[in-house]
Amino acid sequence: MASSAPLGDRAAEARPRLVTRPLLLRLVTVVGSSASFHLMLSAVPAYTQSAPGGGSGMAGLATGTLMLATVAGELVAPWLAARCGYRLLLGAGLLLLGAPALALIVSQSAACLVAVCLVRGIGFAFALVAGGALTAELIPRERRGEGLALIGVMSGVPSLVGLPLGAWLALHTGYGPVCWVAALAALASIAAVPGLPGREAASEPPPGILAAARTGALGRPTAVFAVTAVGAGIVVTFLPSAVAPEHAGVVAVALFVQPAAATAARWVAGRRADRHGAAGLLVPGLAASATGILLIALTGSPAAVVGGAALFGAGFGITQSATLTLMYSRVALSGYGTVTALWNIAYDGGMGVGAVGFGAVADATGHSRAFVLTALLMLPALVPAWRDRAAARGPGR
């Protein structure tokens, strides 16, 4: 017998609710951790250079320690989460991210700086991995792409605001208020953690990160995303020095357009992935990223630089959404922490490798040629992207 429920009601039943109370609480921790991290990210290098005995080397040491600790924390976080649960690890991560920032109010010594960056990097890694796995559990499978895109938007906004705000606060109010705001942003969000789902018994042990990376199902999207992350690290680090001083205003526009385009594209790609699958988005996302880098190589043309930044940002946003959605769909619940860690390692490691490698090449070739070479080196990643698309269409992966 045909259902008598109206068509709209049946459609609503078929499409589960996305925004629930636990997801809203998770959004609180997303905003808190992202704001705390990015406020200090722009302020600490300047803080170190103003300290007695500080300088560019100390600023580099601070950022390097932070990112190295983040990657190290991401490597061990799935193992810890399997033993203490995602909720406890998320709370610990927020505590380790927020509380150490207060130490910089009372000491500017090199030892204190390195220790603070080390602990905050580990805390940020724990918050990323545990929080990301919790997010995947809270989002209905039918709306995973859209839900992950929503989380991406909510974490992207604090970074857009936090980076310039941290520098502005440091300049106009001093570094003490920046440390207080960054600490409180993370610590206050801990209040939302008890409302998140507790630990559930895993049906099987979580896969190891290295073992997961060697499988085609996870290794292919990881490789594609890492390549686009290399481009992101290059654009953020070297665009200001690549563009002629008379076009300095173009740099500010391009560095705003790039993350804005990435955020918008991530949302659109997430919705599209829920309806048509995510595997088909890898090739266009990668192609857009490489083309954007190629346009940026025309550093003497403001239109090309801004347009290239927008196109790269769109491609980067597409690959962010598509790769993470694909990877979660290919593991059991016990593997969510491993996927989150693997994806974030590709993100952080790709950005770091891109910045270091591009700097060495640009010194020898100049920025424009280095951008062209970067675009060309991104093209081989089309192979795993095409293979992943073909595997997704086949009878099995």
Side-chain angles (χ1 to χ4, degrees), residues 136-183:
E137 291 186 17
L138 295 173
I139 297 172
R141 282 184 173 270
E142 300 87 345
R143 304 186 70 178
R144 176 172 285 152
E146 185 179 0
L148 292 175
L150 175 62
I151 294 293
V153 170
M154 294 304 296
S155 65
V157 171
S159 68
L160 283 172
V161 176
L163 284 171
L165 181 60
W168 185 90
L169 283 174
L171 180 63
H172 291 86
T173 68
Y175 295 101
V178 180
C179 295
W180 274 108
V181 174

Side-chain angles (χ1 to χ4, degrees), residues 16 40 223 228 335 368 378:
M40 298 288 285
T228 58
S368 292
M378 293 174 72

Side-chain angles (χ1 to χ4, degrees), residues 88-300:
L88 181 58
L89 191 63
L90 174 58
L94 292 170
L95 178 64
L96 294 175
L97 178 63
L102 299 175
L104 294 181
I105 297 175
V106 297
S107 175
Q108 284 184 290
S109 69
C112 179
L113 173 72
V114 170
V116 166
C117 290
L118 182 66
V119 176
R120 293 190 81 241
I122 293 173
F124 189 55
F126 289 176
L128 283 175
V129 173
L134 265 174
T135 300
E137 291 186 17
L138 295 173
I139 297 172
R141 282 184 173 270
E142 300 87 345
R143 304 186 70 178
R144 176 172 285 152
E146 185 179 0
L148 292 175
L150 175 62
I151 294 293
V153 170
M154 294 304 296
S155 65
V157 171
S159 68
L160 283 172
V161 176
L163 284 171
L165 181 60
W168 185 90
L169 283 174
L171 180 63
H172 291 86
T173 68
Y175 295 101
V178 180
C179 295
W180 274 108
V181 174
L184 291 175
L187 296 176
S189 65
I190 296 177
V193 173
L196 295 171
R199 181 179 181 179
E200 295 183 10
S203 58
E204 55 187 88
I209 292 177
L210 293 179
R214 287 195 294 265
T215 65
L218 297 181
R220 289 188 298 264
T222 299
V224 172
F225 179 57
V227 167
T228 58
V230 165
I234 290 171
V235 170
V236 171
T237 305
F238 291 99
L239 192 60
S241 59
V243 175
E246 59 267 26
H247 298 312
V250 173
V251 174
V253 174
L255 290 179
F256 175 80
V257 165
Q258 186 261 316
T263 300
R266 191 170 183 179
W267 174 260
V268 173
R271 292 178 62 86
R272 195 268 183 196
D274 289 338
R275 291 161 174 77
H276 306 288
L281 295 171
L282 296 185
V283 171
L286 182 59
S289 299
T291 304
I293 293 290
L294 194 60
L295 282 174
I296 293 174
L298 301 172
T299 55

Side-chain angles (χ1 to χ4, degrees), residues 356-388:
V356 173
F358 187 93
V361 173
D363 285 342
T365 68
H367 288 90
S368 292
R369 291 181 179 178
F371 277 119
V372 172
L373 182 60
T374 299
L376 294 176
L377 291 176
M378 293 174 72
L379 296 181
L382 288 170
V383 174
W386 276 111
R387 290 185 62 188
D388 203 88

